[in-house]
Amino acid sequence: MTASSAQQAPHLRAVRWWLIVVAALIAVMVLVGGATRLTESGLSIVEWKPVTGTLPPLNEAQWAQAFEGYKAIPQYRELNAGMSLAEFKTIFWWEWSHRLLGRVIGAVYLLPFLYFLWRGVLSTELKWRLWIIFALGALQGAVGWWMVYSGLTQRTEVSQYRLATHLMLALFILASIVWTLRRMTARPQPIVPMRLKVSGVALLALTFVQLYFGALVAGLRAGRVYNTWPEIDGAFIPSAARLWFEEPWWRNLFDNTLTVQFEHRMTAYALLILAVLHAIDAMRSRAGAAVIGGAWSLVAAIILQAALGILTLLHQVPIDLALAHQAVAIVVLTLVVLQTERLVARRVEPDRQKLILPLGQPG
């Protein structure tokens, strides 16, 4: 190790810990967002004030003003007419906490990032990755308000399309941070057959598809209907007439509660089967302890996730089971990102900087 790299090592450890903290905060943010959705609190704040909105109402007059704003939207008039101020405060605190956590994540990300840039400890590639993640985080705030706005005028809830976009962007940011953390640790590239790399990429893609369908299920509250398993609507595969009755046909994939829940179930089965085949292939290919262990850890997490999903469905989405289901989904995503990066990422050895010695000294 050269003198320069020795000086940078503590800073790189600090960068890793910083990114781990940010990833953990994003995971918490996703869970708080899930609780906000489950408690139907997301429309309780009808304004977007990125700076002044940091403070909650501080006196009774401000609380009354906030409550009057909520009374003006369709959700209050059609679903919560007659709600007391105390009940409003309950849903308000959920949404306010969700927004405050977003602001905290922004500060926790930006301030150390600027410090590391100032100290010059980030490689060019890492700088670009981190700037892109920062831009996605800024976009996420705007997408959050875009989602909330969809429920303020004509709807009693937010659009499931926008909710899914909001959740998927948060999970993509989390996955990007996990991938970046993995790339910062120098490890030997495992020698594995191409089909194992392809199945790893397929697992990652299918996981994101499944997460998207899960977001649609949440947005449509589709988990509160068809609460049987393994049958759904009286059969393992519902009738085509029930699955495809909306026109045009493709709207059923996003708007039909039966179709959305069915595709979420079928994708779960496909994901589990693919994960098991991937793990068996890793063992047969003797891909190494890390790859094999990562594959079977992913299988175990998917099985747990499926079990929690079934229990959540059978019990008609109680908040504790629903949040546990969402938490394990984050674990599954983290494990599949680690496994895919382990298999496909090209290792780039850090440049060894030469130690410059004064003239006349042996080097």
Side-chain angles (χ1 to χ4, degrees), residues 181-256:
L181 275 165
R182 173 81 190 175
R183 289 301 304 272
M184 290 177 64
T185 304
R187 292 184 178 90
Q189 176 74 33
I191 301 175
V192 297
M194 179 57 67
R195 67 175 182 275
L196 201 59
K197 297 182 180 182
V198 171
S199 63
V201 173
L203 276 169
L204 180 59
L206 193 59
T207 297
F208 271 108
V209 171
Q210 176 68 335
L211 292 168
Y212 180 76
F213 287 152
L216 290 180
V217 168
L220 291 169
R221 294 183 176 84
R224 299 186 185 276
V225 292
Y226 310 108
N227 301 104
T228 57
W229 183 85
E231 294 185 344
I232 177 172
D233 197 31
F236 185 75
I237 299 178
S239 66
R242 296 272 290 162
L243 288 172
W244 307 105
F245 70 87
E246 292 195 20
E247 295 291 342
W249 66 268
W250 56 265
R251 291 188 64 89
N252 291 277
L253 297 172
F254 310 98
D255 292 338
N256 184 337

Side-chain angles (χ1 to χ4, degrees), residues 12 27 46 67 87 123 125 127 163 181 202 225 239 283 296-298 324 348:
L12 291 179
V46 298
F67 195 17
E87 291 171 328
S123 67
E125 179 188 359
K127 287 179 187 177
L163 182 144
L181 275 165
V225 292
S239 66
M283 291 183 63
W296 285 113
S297 296
L298 180 59
V348 180

Side-chain angles (χ1 to χ4, degrees), residues 28 35 112 138 144 219 221 227 237 258 264 266 284 286 291 299 303:
V28 173
R221 294 183 176 84
N227 301 104
I237 299 178
L258 175 61
H264 189 51
M266 293 299 107
R284 289 181 174 177
R286 298 180 180 179
V291 173
V299 170
I303 291 173

Side-chain angles (χ1 to χ4, degrees), residues 27-41:
V28 173
M29 177 83 165
V30 170
L31 294 178
V32 172
T36 301
R37 176 61 175 173
L38 291 165
T39 56
E40 300 186 6
S41 306

Side-chain angles (χ1 to χ4, degrees), residues 21 44 88 127 180 191 273 300 303 309 348:
V21 169
S44 58
F88 169 71
K127 287 179 187 177
T180 299
I191 301 175
I273 292 170
I303 291 173
V348 180

